Amino acid sequence: MPKLTNLLPRLVVAAFAVCILASTTTAQQPPSVRIRGTIESVDGKTLDIKTREGNDVKVNMTDNVAVFAVVKTSLSEIKEGSYIGVTGMPEPDGTQRAIAVHIFPENQRGAAEGFRPWDARANSTMTNATVTQTVQGTEGQIILVRYKDGEKKVVVPPDTPIVTFVASDKSEIKPGAKLIIFGAAKKEDGSLEASRVNVGRDGITPPM
């Protein structure tokens, strides 16, 4: 059996290598910023945005930026098997009361699956999950959703905004349009870059 003293140098080298690998992985994933606001102007690939908080920010779109229109749809489009995102407020019994629901296109099934804190309003949450059951309740539609680590019961009141994403192009990106960028990458020089922009169509403010 090798002596511990002989193993120590190799253990130190291995631990150092793991630290280097972890640091490299972190460095390859720049921090991201969620942006909600109104497009003030467009200059080539650069968007001037007045954020929901009243700040002015510039975001550079990538050459291959994906543009999605956020459009209204109806609660009847949410069926068993639909993959949805629920912006919700937690109830004392653990139920989520929806303040907005977005339906993902089939090719985005599984996107950001799970349950997490959200910033639509104070104490709000986001649940991206698959619908397993939907029934009418006394306070609205009751939807059961399941994600990889659990499940949630969601009450969707009748006046809840229901939207979906429609693949589009840069014609959606114009002054006055409301948008949400889920993750603008913050570059080393402090600039922001977006590979996806979600724009409310026909004056819609993306509700998520």
Side-chain angles (χ1 to χ4, degrees), residues 60 186-192:
N60 300 314
K186 191 169 185 178
K187 313 298 280 186
E188 289 185 1
D189 62 2
S191 63
L192 295 172

Side-chain angles (χ1 to χ4, degrees), residues 76-163:
S76 62
E77 292 301 312
I78 299 175
K79 303 176 174 64
E80 291 184 21
S82 297
Y83 188 72
I84 65 173
V86 178
T87 309
M89 296 298 295
E91 298 284 279
D93 64 357
T95 298
Q96 296 292 310
R97 178 170 291 272
I99 56 177
V101 179
H102 56 276
I103 305 172
F104 285 96
E106 186 58 32
N107 63 2
Q108 293 178 27
R109 178 176 293 276
E113 183 178 4
F115 173 76
R116 61 190 63 84
W118 198 243
D119 60 350
R121 62 177 71 167
N123 300 318
S124 63
T125 63
M126 177 62 72
T127 309
N128 288 355
T130 300
V131 176
T132 58
Q133 186 180 8
T134 175
V135 297
Q136 184 62 42
T138 56
E139 298 182 48
Q141 197 78 2
I142 297 175
I143 297 175
L144 301 180
V145 297
R146 182 170 296 152
Y147 49 96
K148 57 188 174 183
D149 297 321
E151 57 186 12
K152 292 292 179 185
K153 177 181 176 182
V154 179
V155 176
V156 185
D159 58 349
T160 304
I162 313 293
V163 298

